[in-house]
Amino acid sequence: MKIVIAGAGAVGTHLSRLLSTEKHDCVLIDADEDRLGGIDSNYDIMTVNASPMSIKSLKEAGVGNADLFVGVTPEQSTNMTACILAHALGARQTVARIDNYEYLSPNNQSFFKNLGIDSLVYPELLAAGDIISGLKLSWVRQRWDVHDGALVLLGIKLRETAEILNQPLKDLCGPNDPYHIVAIKRGEDTIIPGGMDELHTLDLAYFMTTAEYIPYIRKIVGKEHYADVQNVIMMGGGKTAVRAALSLPDYMHLKIIESDADRCERLNQLLANTDVMVIHGDGRDLSLLQEEGIKHTQAFVALTGNAETNILACLTAKKLGVRKTVAMVENLDYVSMAESLDIGTIINKKTIAASHIFQMMMRADVRSMRTLMMVDSDVVELVAAEGSKVTKQPVKDLGLPFGVAIGGLVRNGEGILVNGNTQIEEGDSVMVFCHKHQLGKIERYFKKSLF
């Protein structure tokens, strides 16, 4: 596929690198030459130093025969204008990054479609969804509900209290057990486990299970003593914080600490119909945290624009006894460091947004997709088409590429864990774990066969 991306910022750069690994023809446009100069020469990406709102430049970039045009510059107006121009020049599909929540209303979808903008992406809303999902289970690093919760993926840091350590997985999660381990992060290594692999203390293990067995998973990983989240302190009152605050479950109580007085006033206006308390101050101030009841807080969320500040603030909160910490880390170079410091849940808007856009480009029927930063992998929900290769044989005989594992499927609304003898059927929504960007190889298994 040919994809043209406008904007060599965080989202655009990450998306273009992701696309190049999947052998797509990718062109990256930006008016700032310095941004384009930072693109690693190891990636096969064509760069164009020009304004994405220049018709001449868009033509030169090949927008006329592009399968997808993506506008992800920092400016919403630039993205929308560029998408409208790209559509008029012949781009088959367009996506614009926005920062206005009003535009996402279903009532506006046809309006933007008529303008030539097929899809809108609001990274802050996507990140807020991940934050709320993580807060609902205090003992989980990452949670992803698939197909309205029919299947659940849980990323869990294993401590010495887990009862499933140092035993072959074949003895722990066989065909009739209520969970599968689809990946293990151990130090710097990612393991796609087999039956003889074991779980060790401090492993980050990814469990595929169904919603009814979440309490059972909590028991076997030794996390029953973790208090459920009721009180939350959030540092930083940006757009992600606002979206998270408006989505917070009723049983959670939130305090937002913001250092800018004008922003505090704006937050009070935006959150006037909620019980959220807005506090003017520095979220790293120990005396302020103690005054605001950090000892009775189960979760601390750091969402400032500075990764170092967020990491340090979470470390401080942990020292003060907070079990659940969430840090916004936009610099991917800091993600591994944050994990090594045992920060907790790490949120990165650009990988979330890039995953959301990337699923639009797959030829198979993709329902959802998520990038797991910590294990350099993707989890994707693919629908088995009529006559597709994946429906021809049991899973054990499919010859799946190395680094690919099928964790579960949803059939008629019911979540089913998959084993080697499972026969996938037409219409099944299948959860596929792909290490090292193997999506291009796996999607052909799910496409409709012409023979």
Side-chain angles (χ1 to χ4, degrees), residues 336-352:
S336 294
M337 180 186 71
E339 167 61 20
S340 67
L341 293 172
D342 207 15
I343 290 301
T345 300
I346 299 167
I347 299 292
N348 183 281
K349 288 186 294 185
K350 67 182 178 182
T351 59
I352 297 171

PDB file of all heavy atoms in Angstrom, residues 336-352:
ATOM      1  N   SER A 336      11.763   2.012  28.516  1.00  0.00           N
ATOM      2  CA  SER A 336      12.475   0.904  29.168  1.00  0.00           C
ATOM      3  C   SER A 336      12.991   1.316  30.537  1.00  0.00           C
ATOM      4  O   SER A 336      12.958   0.535  31.490  1.00  0.00           O
ATOM      5  CB  SER A 336      13.628   0.429  28.286  1.00  0.00           C
ATOM      6  OG  SER A 336      13.143  -0.150  27.101  1.00  0.00           O
ATOM      7  N   MET A 337      13.467   2.564  30.641  1.00  0.00           N
ATOM      8  CA  MET A 337      13.956   3.041  31.928  1.00  0.00           C
ATOM      9  C   MET A 337      12.822   3.092  32.946  1.00  0.00           C
ATOM     10  O   MET A 337      12.988   2.679  34.102  1.00  0.00           O
ATOM     11  CB  MET A 337      14.568   4.443  31.782  1.00  0.00           C
ATOM     12  CG  MET A 337      15.103   5.011  33.092  1.00  0.00           C
ATOM     13  SD  MET A 337      15.671   6.713  32.939  1.00  0.00           S
ATOM     14  CE  MET A 337      14.125   7.592  32.729  1.00  0.00           C
ATOM     15  N   ALA A 338      11.665   3.586  32.510  1.00  0.00           N
ATOM     16  CA  ALA A 338      10.519   3.666  33.414  1.00  0.00           C
ATOM     17  C   ALA A 338      10.114   2.279  33.898  1.00  0.00           C
ATOM     18  O   ALA A 338       9.785   2.085  35.067  1.00  0.00           O
ATOM     19  CB  ALA A 338       9.349   4.354  32.713  1.00  0.00           C
ATOM     20  N   GLU A 339      10.157   1.300  32.998  1.00  0.00           N
ATOM     21  CA  GLU A 339       9.823  -0.072  33.373  1.00  0.00           C
ATOM     22  C   GLU A 339      10.849  -0.633  34.354  1.00  0.00           C
ATOM     23  O   GLU A 339      10.492  -1.300  35.326  1.00  0.00           O
ATOM     24  CB  GLU A 339       9.738  -0.950  32.118  1.00  0.00           C
ATOM     25  CG  GLU A 339       9.698  -2.436  32.372  1.00  0.00           C
ATOM     26  CD  GLU A 339       8.499  -2.896  33.181  1.00  0.00           C
ATOM     27  OE1 GLU A 339       7.489  -2.157  33.253  1.00  0.00           O
ATOM     28  OE2 GLU A 339       8.554  -3.998  33.761  1.00  0.00           O
ATOM     29  N   SER A 340      12.130  -0.356  34.114  1.00  0.00           N
ATOM     30  CA  SER A 340      13.171  -0.877  35.006  1.00  0.00           C
ATOM     31  C   SER A 340      13.068  -0.278  36.404  1.00  0.00           C
ATOM     32  O   SER A 340      13.480  -0.892  37.382  1.00  0.00           O
ATOM     33  CB  SER A 340      14.555  -0.596  34.416  1.00  0.00           C
ATOM     34  OG  SER A 340      14.838   0.791  34.397  1.00  0.00           O
ATOM     35  N   LEU A 341      12.494   0.915  36.491  1.00  0.00           N
ATOM     36  CA  LEU A 341      12.295   1.566  37.789  1.00  0.00           C
ATOM     37  C   LEU A 341      11.002   1.111  38.458  1.00  0.00           C
ATOM     38  O   LEU A 341      10.663   1.597  39.545  1.00  0.00           O
ATOM     39  CB  LEU A 341      12.278   3.090  37.617  1.00  0.00           C
ATOM     40  CG  LEU A 341      13.607   3.724  37.195  1.00  0.00           C
ATOM     41  CD1 LEU A 341      13.406   5.202  36.860  1.00  0.00           C
ATOM     42  CD2 LEU A 341      14.647   3.578  38.303  1.00  0.00           C
ATOM     43  N   ASP A 342      10.296   0.195  37.798  1.00  0.00           N
ATOM     44  CA  ASP A 342       9.054  -0.360  38.342  1.00  0.00           C
ATOM     45  C   ASP A 342       7.991   0.715  38.543  1.00  0.00           C
ATOM     46  O   ASP A 342       7.302   0.756  39.557  1.00  0.00           O
ATOM     47  CB  ASP A 342       9.345  -1.077  39.672  1.00  0.00           C
ATOM     48  CG  ASP A 342       8.339  -2.184  39.950  1.00  0.00           C
ATOM     49  OD1 ASP A 342       7.626  -2.572  39.010  1.00  0.00           O
ATOM     50  OD2 ASP A 342       8.276  -2.638  41.105  1.00  0.00           O
ATOM     51  N   ILE A 343       7.880   1.585  37.536  1.00  0.00           N
ATOM     52  CA  ILE A 343       6.932   2.694  37.617  1.00  0.00           C
ATOM     53  C   ILE A 343       5.492   2.209  37.697  1.00  0.00           C
ATOM     54  O   ILE A 343       4.677   2.720  38.446  1.00  0.00           O
ATOM     55  CB  ILE A 343       7.108   3.644  36.405  1.00  0.00           C
ATOM     56  CG1 ILE A 343       8.426   4.401  36.519  1.00  0.00           C
ATOM     57  CG2 ILE A 343       5.948   4.634  36.316  1.00  0.00           C
ATOM     58  CD1 ILE A 343       8.555   5.234  37.770  1.00  0.00           C
ATOM     59  N   GLY A 344       5.154   1.220  36.908  1.00  0.00           N
ATOM     60  CA  GLY A 344       3.767   0.764  36.860  1.00  0.00           C
ATOM     61  C   GLY A 344       3.263   0.845  35.435  1.00  0.00           C
ATOM     62  O   GLY A 344       3.945   0.443  34.493  1.00  0.00           O
ATOM     63  N   THR A 345       2.075   1.383  35.245  1.00  0.00           N
ATOM     64  CA  THR A 345       1.501   1.501  33.906  1.00  0.00           C
ATOM     65  C   THR A 345       2.116   2.689  33.179  1.00  0.00           C
ATOM     66  O   THR A 345       2.201   3.789  33.725  1.00  0.00           O
ATOM     67  CB  THR A 345      -0.022   1.673  33.987  1.00  0.00           C
ATOM     68  OG1 THR A 345      -0.588   0.527  34.635  1.00  0.00           O
ATOM     69  CG2 THR A 345      -0.635   1.804  32.602  1.00  0.00           C
ATOM     70  N   ILE A 346       2.529   2.468  31.933  1.00  0.00           N
ATOM     71  CA  ILE A 346       3.150   3.515  31.131  1.00  0.00           C
ATOM     72  C   ILE A 346       2.247   3.804  29.943  1.00  0.00           C
ATOM     73  O   ILE A 346       1.850   2.893  29.214  1.00  0.00           O
ATOM     74  CB  ILE A 346       4.553   3.087  30.660  1.00  0.00           C
ATOM     75  CG1 ILE A 346       5.457   2.840  31.875  1.00  0.00           C
ATOM     76  CG2 ILE A 346       5.168   4.136  29.743  1.00  0.00           C
ATOM     77  CD1 ILE A 346       6.740   2.135  31.547  1.00  0.00           C
ATOM     78  N   ILE A 347       1.921   5.073  29.763  1.00  0.00           N
ATOM     79  CA  ILE A 347       1.036   5.499  28.680  1.00  0.00           C
ATOM     80  C   ILE A 347       1.839   6.302  27.668  1.00  0.00           C
ATOM     81  O   ILE A 347       2.573   7.224  28.037  1.00  0.00           O
ATOM     82  CB  ILE A 347      -0.119   6.368  29.223  1.00  0.00           C
ATOM     83  CG1 ILE A 347      -0.967   5.576  30.237  1.00  0.00           C
ATOM     84  CG2 ILE A 347      -0.996   6.884  28.085  1.00  0.00           C
ATOM     85  CD1 ILE A 347      -1.749   4.443  29.645  1.00  0.00           C
ATOM     86  N   ASN A 348       1.699   5.962  26.405  1.00  0.00           N
ATOM     87  CA  ASN A 348       2.361   6.704  25.327  1.00  0.00           C
ATOM     88  C   ASN A 348       1.335   6.980  24.232  1.00  0.00           C
ATOM     89  O   ASN A 348       0.897   6.062  23.541  1.00  0.00           O
ATOM     90  CB  ASN A 348       3.543   5.891  24.784  1.00  0.00           C
ATOM     91  CG  ASN A 348       4.311   6.639  23.713  1.00  0.00           C
ATOM     92  OD1 ASN A 348       3.886   6.683  22.569  1.00  0.00           O
ATOM     93  ND2 ASN A 348       5.433   7.233  24.085  1.00  0.00           N
ATOM     94  N   LYS A 349       0.964   8.235  24.091  1.00  0.00           N
ATOM     95  CA  LYS A 349      -0.107   8.599  23.165  1.00  0.00           C
ATOM     96  C   LYS A 349       0.226   8.264  21.721  1.00  0.00           C
ATOM     97  O   LYS A 349      -0.641   7.879  20.934  1.00  0.00           O
ATOM     98  CB  LYS A 349      -0.425  10.088  23.285  1.00  0.00           C
ATOM     99  CG  LYS A 349      -1.142  10.476  24.554  1.00  0.00           C
ATOM    100  CD  LYS A 349      -1.550  11.945  24.528  1.00  0.00           C
ATOM    101  CE  LYS A 349      -0.340  12.854  24.537  1.00  0.00           C
ATOM    102  NZ  LYS A 349      -0.707  14.277  24.626  1.00  0.00           N
ATOM    103  N   LYS A 350       1.506   8.405  21.351  1.00  0.00           N
ATOM    104  CA  LYS A 350       1.825   8.236  19.936  1.00  0.00           C
ATOM    105  C   LYS A 350       1.707   6.783  19.499  1.00  0.00           C
ATOM    106  O   LYS A 350       1.263   6.504  18.378  1.00  0.00           O
ATOM    107  CB  LYS A 350       3.214   8.790  19.624  1.00  0.00           C
ATOM    108  CG  LYS A 350       4.384   8.067  20.234  1.00  0.00           C
ATOM    109  CD  LYS A 350       5.668   8.803  19.851  1.00  0.00           C
ATOM    110  CE  LYS A 350       6.891   8.146  20.481  1.00  0.00           C
ATOM    111  NZ  LYS A 350       8.128   8.878  20.164  1.00  0.00           N
ATOM    112  N   THR A 351       2.090   5.844  20.366  1.00  0.00           N
ATOM    113  CA  THR A 351       1.945   4.444  19.976  1.00  0.00           C
ATOM    114  C   THR A 351       0.477   4.031  19.959  1.00  0.00           C
ATOM    115  O   THR A 351       0.064   3.230  19.116  1.00  0.00           O
ATOM    116  CB  THR A 351       2.727   3.522  20.927  1.00  0.00           C
ATOM    117  OG1 THR A 351       2.262   3.688  22.264  1.00  0.00           O
ATOM    118  CG2 THR A 351       4.214   3.813  20.877  1.00  0.00           C
ATOM    119  N   ILE A 352      -0.309   4.594  20.869  1.00  0.00           N
ATOM    120  CA  ILE A 352      -1.744   4.286  20.886  1.00  0.00           C
ATOM    121  C   ILE A 352      -2.404   4.797  19.614  1.00  0.00           C
ATOM    122  O   ILE A 352      -3.165   4.085  18.942  1.00  0.00           O
ATOM    123  CB  ILE A 352      -2.416   4.908  22.124  1.00  0.00           C
ATOM    124  CG1 ILE A 352      -1.845   4.299  23.414  1.00  0.00           C
ATOM    125  CG2 ILE A 352      -3.929   4.713  22.068  1.00  0.00           C
ATOM    126  CD1 ILE A 352      -2.297   5.015  24.674  1.00  0.00           C
TER     127      ILE A 352
END
